């Protein structure tokens, strides 16, 4: 089941940091004080944010993952 949190919540992520390579993704993360190991990456997408403001362009990379 996919749950989207409207306000979002910060997490700590570990693993390779090469977001440009679609084969590389996080190995795990800590959410609400509990560590989760990533079993599989189901989807990866990039969102181009603040494109309307000069100098404020940012790309965010999102992953949909399956955990243990």
């Amino acid at each position: 089941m996919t749950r989207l949190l409207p306000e979002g919540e910060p997490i700590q992520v570990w693993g390779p940091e090469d977001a440009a390579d679609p084969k590389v993704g996080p190995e795990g993360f800590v959410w609400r004080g509990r560590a989760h190991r990533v079993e599989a990456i189901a989807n990866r997408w990039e969102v181009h944010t603040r494109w309307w403001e000069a100098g404020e362009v940012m790309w965010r990379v999102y992953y949909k993952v399956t955990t243990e």
Side-chain angles (χ1 to χ4, degrees):
M1 178 173 98
T2 299
R3 291 181 294 159
L4 298 176
L5 304 173
E7 299 302 318
E9 291 185 27
I11 62 171
Q12 297 171 338
V13 179
W14 68 85
E17 295 189 20
D18 186 3
D21 184 349
K23 298 180 199 132
V24 176
E27 293 175 356
F29 59 94
V30 176
W31 178 55
R32 294 182 176 178
R34 185 171 171 217
H36 301 270
R37 188 171 62 82
V38 172
E39 296 266 327
I41 297 173
N43 199 358
R44 175 191 181 275
W45 64 98
E46 296 180 12
V47 176
H48 188 203
T49 63
R50 305 191 71 84
W51 53 267
W52 60 92
E53 295 183 22
E56 296 292 326
V57 174
M58 181 186 333
W59 284 91
R60 292 185 180 187
V61 178
Y62 292 88
Y63 294 92
K64 180 177 181 179
V65 300
T66 302
T67 61
E68 55 187 15

